[in-house]
Amino acid sequence: EHPTIWNWKSQIRDLKNTYDVVMFVDLHGHSRKMNTFMYGCDDKRKPKPTVRVFPKLLSWNQYGRKYVSFADCNFQVKKGRDGTGRVVVSKELGIQNAYTMEATFCGADFGPLKDVHFNTSHLAESGRALIDTLLDYYMPNPMQREKAANLLKQASERKAARDRSERMAAARAAMQQVRAEQGSFL
């Protein structure tokens, strides 16, 4: 096994020892198909319809509906795909919601962006749709979402204040050093 893959699986196992890891999304770009879509891991012998729920929600999301084609999603693990991240995570690490999210620069073949090449803003909005859908999926209660958003905002503000404070301290130290060096030349 390649050292990178071994390390990656080891990190996920370590996370699972501390947290309830409930989803894995491997982000990819492609150039042959249009739209944004997901590959999932279903079992032909024991189908798991729940594997389709998250991609469907993503395709319904206020941002995702412009990019994500549920019709282009595929949940069967094809021959030769056993080594992909989503399949390894699903089978070896037991994370049922394991996906590959594919996005393209080719654009969409449906909706308001039909025949428009995706740019980085479109791809960023696809990412926003992914995060927004994660919140819908795991925190459907609007009060929980608002509380989580407020906690994240407060944490971000504290970090920004610490960063400003550290930059100011570094600037003061640099000014003192400059003054000290200027004093030694006088």
Side-chain angles (χ1 to χ4, degrees):
E1 185 170 49
H2 193 276
T4 304
I5 301 301
W6 181 89
N7 189 31
W8 175 70
K9 289 187 332 189
S10 177
Q11 288 179 353
I12 293 172
R13 281 188 191 103
D14 288 347
L15 280 171
K16 284 184 71 170
N17 288 334
T18 307
Y19 303 100
D20 186 19
V21 179
V22 293
M23 185 176 290
F24 169 85
V25 181
D26 192 6
L27 304 175
H28 282 237
H30 64 92
S31 60
R32 293 189 211 149
K33 287 180 74 173
M34 297 183 83
N35 308 318
T36 297
F37 55 93
M38 295 185 99
Y39 291 117
C41 298
D42 206 348
D43 189 337
K44 286 181 186 177
R45 292 178 299 268
K46 285 174 51 177
K48 300 176 283 196
T50 56
V51 169
R52 292 169 171 75
V53 172
F54 184 80
K56 186 64 173 176
L57 289 174
L58 182 60
S59 73
W60 286 345
N61 177 274
Q62 65 177 330
Y63 306 106
R65 70 176 58 124
K66 293 188 285 187
Y67 308 102
V68 180
S69 168
F70 185 73
D72 288 337
C73 293
N74 190 321
F75 303 96
Q76 298 301 316
V77 178
K78 294 182 176 158
K79 191 175 185 176
R81 298 290 185 205
D82 286 340
T84 62
R86 72 179 179 281
V87 176
V88 168
V89 166
S90 178
K91 289 184 177 180
E92 290 185 33
L93 303 176
I95 299 173
Q96 181 177 328
N97 288 322
Y99 304 101
T100 300
M101 183 173 168
E102 296 274 356
T104 181
F105 281 112
C106 294
D109 61 8
F110 70 96
L113 296 173
K114 182 177 180 167
D115 299 324
V116 174
H117 285 270
F118 289 167
N119 59 37
T120 54
S121 295
H122 294 122
L123 297 174
E125 193 168 44
S126 292
R128 181 176 184 179
L130 177 68
I131 300 305
D132 199 49
T133 304
L134 280 168
L135 287 172
D136 285 340
Y137 192 72
Y138 290 107
M139 286 186 182
N141 180 334
M143 296 298 286
Q144 283 181 313
R145 289 183 71 170
E146 186 176 333
K147 183 177 179 182
N150 286 335
L151 289 172
L152 290 171
K153 182 179 178 187
Q154 290 169 4
S156 176
E157 289 169 352
R158 283 192 302 271
K159 183 181 182 322
R162 275 194 312 272
D163 290 348
R164 275 193 304 276
S165 176
E166 289 171 5
R167 284 194 306 270
M168 291 299 290
R172 280 192 295 274
M175 288 301 293
Q176 287 174 346
Q177 183 176 358
V178 167
R179 287 185 190 125
E181 290 172 2
Q182 286 176 343
S184 66
F185 290 118
L186 296 178

